[in-house]
């Protein structure tokens, strides 16, 4: 079985986010980058499936040279080889076009990725790739098992989960608890240095959307403490200030 896992190169969740150029560009100064957390779940499950089926696992990222350490970490976790499409991820459609172009050439049985990236939280790429390749796409998938050419999945829905069955090939946008995150061990880190990391040029594709300006969320206000016996004051604050009643 040939598995492709698409990963994002995103700021660590603990990073302090700032913008420059009149809030039109992200300031990456001092920011630590990681594999997208949802992509980490997809990668962890892919490693398990690859081992079960004695298959091959490739990771792909649409990004520039600064994404290479992130790809090397994915190789250390267990991927067999890596592909970097040499372009900034301009928008969801652009990224989907690059993934679909490479995936079509690779003829993969299973394409996994996170349900969404944690920088823009679009949650659209898996669906777009499915449409471009003419393959079924499912998200958010929280359980995935493969038996021959049959895939059994559990997908989160409002108020519960949905049990699904489909045939390979397919695409899944993953989330917890599909697998436990895997931490690279020393053997994996050493072997990642010699595993192939191929850089390919992007196909020509115009972007469909462009961010004109970024804004930080409003600063949190001061905490107000209410005496536990003063229910009337609590209700008043929730209604007039918090506006949740």
């Amino acid at each position: 079985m040939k598995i492709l896992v698409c990963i994002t190169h995103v700021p660590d969740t603990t990073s302090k986010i700032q913008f420059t150029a009149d809030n039109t560009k992200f300031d990456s100064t001092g920011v630590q980058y990681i594999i997208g957390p949802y992509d980490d779940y997809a990668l962890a499950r892919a490693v398990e499936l690859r081992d079960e089926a004695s298959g091959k696992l490739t990771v792909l990222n649409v990004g520039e040279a600064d994404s290479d350490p992130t790809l090397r970490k994915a190789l250390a976790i267990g991927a067999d080889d890596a592909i970097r499409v040499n372009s900034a991820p301009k928008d969801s459609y652009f990224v989907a076009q690059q993934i679909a172009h490479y995936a079509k050439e690779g003829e993969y049985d299973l394409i996994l990725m996170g349900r969404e990236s944690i920088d823009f939280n679009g949650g659209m790429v898996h669906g777009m790739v499915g449409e471009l390749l003419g393959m079924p796409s499912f998200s958010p998938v929280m359980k995935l098992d493969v038996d021959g050419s049959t895939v059994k999945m559990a997908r989160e829905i409002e108020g519960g989960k949905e049990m699904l069955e489909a045939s390979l090939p397919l695409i899944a946008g993953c989330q917890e608890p599909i697998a436990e995150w895997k931490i690279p061990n020393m053997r994996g880190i050493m072997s990642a240095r010699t595993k192939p990391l191929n850089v390919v040029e992007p196909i020509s594709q115009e972007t469909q959307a462009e961010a004109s300006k970024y804004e930080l969320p409003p600063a949190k206000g001061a905490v107000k403490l209410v005496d536990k016996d003063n229910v009337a004051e609590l209700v008043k604050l929730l209604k007039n200030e918090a506006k949740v009643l």
Side-chain angles (χ1 to χ4, degrees), residues 23-244:
N23 291 331
T24 60
K25 292 183 179 180
F26 174 66
D27 184 1
S28 61
T29 305
V31 174
Q32 180 73 33
Y33 282 83
I34 60 171
I35 299 174
Y38 292 116
D39 304 324
D40 246 336
Y41 287 116
L43 178 59
R45 185 62 183 130
V47 170
E48 295 169 351
L49 293 170
R50 187 274 316 277
D51 292 344
E52 292 170 8
S54 299
K56 182 179 179 182
L57 169 56
T58 299
V59 290
L60 181 147
N61 168 258
V62 179
E64 298 176 305
D66 59 349
S67 299
D68 286 352
T70 299
L71 283 166
R72 288 292 178 195
K73 181 179 179 181
L75 292 170
I77 288 172
D80 298 305
D81 63 339
I83 299 292
R84 177 169 63 81
V85 180
N86 190 28
S87 174
K90 300 173 183 177
D91 67 6
S92 296
Y93 186 66
F94 176 84
V95 171
Q97 286 276 8
Q98 309 310 315
I99 294 172
H101 175 74
Y102 178 78
K104 187 175 182 179
E105 292 182 345
E107 297 182 339
Y108 292 94
D109 301 297
L110 182 62
I111 301 175
L112 301 181
M113 59 187 78
R115 61 175 290 178
E116 62 185 9
S117 65
I118 63 163
D119 46 7
F120 289 97
N121 302 95
M124 297 184 287
V125 172
H126 38 73
M128 290 179 176
V129 174
E131 179 67 21
L132 291 168
L133 293 176
M135 292 169 57
S137 175
F138 304 90
S139 183
V141 175
M142 52 198 298
K143 183 178 180 182
L144 188 149
D145 295 306
V146 179
D147 183 8
S149 62
T150 301
V151 181
K152 295 181 179 180
M153 295 168 282
R155 188 173 74 92
E156 184 179 28
I157 58 174
E158 186 175 355
K161 61 182 178 179
E162 178 182 41
M163 309 306 295
L164 301 168
E165 187 173 304
S167 297
L168 294 173
L170 60 79
I171 299 165
C174 306
Q175 68 169 42
E176 74 284 358
I178 195 169
E180 292 187 5
W181 285 343
K182 298 185 183 300
I183 299 174
N185 55 32
M186 184 55 66
R187 181 179 178 182
I189 294 170
M190 296 300 292
S191 65
R193 297 178 180 179
T194 57
K195 289 181 179 179
L197 194 168
N198 300 311
V199 179
V200 298
E201 292 305 312
I203 59 171
S204 178
Q205 178 62 48
E206 294 183 3
T207 58
Q208 302 294 310
E210 183 179 351
S212 59
K213 194 171 185 178
Y214 298 100
E215 292 183 0
L216 292 172
K220 293 182 179 180
V223 175
K224 292 188 176 181
L225 300 177
V226 180
D227 188 277
K228 63 184 177 71
D229 297 321
N230 194 350
V231 177
E233 179 65 14
L234 176 60
V235 171
K236 178 183 176 182
L237 290 172
L238 291 173
K239 183 177 181 181
N240 298 333
E241 294 193 17
K243 299 187 184 302
V244 295

